[in-house]
Amino acid sequence: MMHLTTPIADEDLNCLNVGDQITISGTIYTGRDAALPQLVELVKNDEVPFDLNGAVIMHTAFSDAGIAPTTSSKVEIESTIPALSKAGVKVHIGKGMLSDDTINSLNEYNSIFVITPPVAALLTSKVLEKKCVLFENEGMEAMFELKVEKIPGIVAIQDGKKI
């Protein structure tokens, strides 16, 4: 099992293969249907209040019940993956299948897609700290910055290959 710590560098991804089990520690950001399209608009206007270079975004909401991945292939989420990868996001964590166009954009920007099982109790136990960083009006679908320790996942898409 390979352990990654944020921020993620291109070199960190070069030794990974589809099917590898990984853990991620450090700072990750959450976002889903309501927040990610708004984040892309901030990217376009160069108004993101934190650094996306080497960032990790998990497709989830954050509530008192915890975190668990949402379906990444929803148009509101999948349509943001190319722009966020171009802006520097290296790892997108979610669940489900992605289109060939999205797979190609991940490859173009040396980003990967990691799946993690929807086990809220396990994932939530890995969260050390949380704070809302954007779109507080979206409630649990706002963007949160999480400090995490060893979020587990499996590389599902890398170098244009998929599970």
Side-chain angles (χ1 to χ4, degrees):
M1 181 172 298
M2 177 150 183
H3 182 71
L4 301 175
T5 301
T6 63
I8 308 294
D10 285 336
E11 299 78 44
D12 296 329
L13 304 183
N14 292 340
C15 61
L16 294 176
N17 295 298
V18 170
D20 284 352
Q21 294 181 25
I22 64 169
T23 60
I24 299 172
S25 296
T27 299
I28 68 171
Y29 297 94
T30 66
R32 53 175 289 167
D33 313 45
L36 291 177
Q38 292 180 77
L39 179 61
V40 168
E41 286 303 311
L42 292 179
V43 167
K44 288 178 184 175
N45 296 320
D46 197 27
E47 296 176 344
V48 179
F50 46 85
D51 192 1
L52 287 176
N53 287 310
V56 174
I57 293 182
M58 184 173 193
H59 303 153
T60 188
F62 198 103
S63 73
D64 291 337
I67 60 172
T70 194
T71 302
S72 301
S73 61
K74 292 187 270 184
V75 69
E76 299 86 357
I77 295 175
E78 186 169 0
S79 66
T80 69
I81 292 173
L84 294 175
S85 294
K86 183 178 181 181
V89 174
K90 289 296 168 192
V91 180
H92 302 266
I93 303 172
K95 67 178 185 179
M97 300 290 289
L98 298 179
S99 71
D100 289 342
D101 287 342
T102 301
I103 292 169
N104 291 337
S105 71
L106 287 167
N107 189 39
E108 180 180 355
Y109 300 115
N110 195 31
S111 295
I112 65 173
F113 180 62
V114 172
I115 57 173
T116 189
V119 286
L122 170 66
L123 297 177
T124 305
S125 74
K126 304 296 183 183
V127 176
L128 305 175
E129 297 175 27
K130 72 169 183 168
K131 78 175 177 183
C132 184
V133 291
L134 286 173
F135 319 121
E136 187 173 1
N137 61 310
E138 298 293 353
M140 69 179 204
E141 286 201 27
M143 287 200 73
F144 286 84
E145 178 182 277
L146 307 179
K147 301 292 186 201
V148 300
E149 183 66 31
K150 296 187 177 178
I151 290 279
I154 299 169
V155 177
I157 299 174
Q158 197 240 1
D159 288 336
K161 301 176 191 124
K162 62 183 176 180
I163 289 182

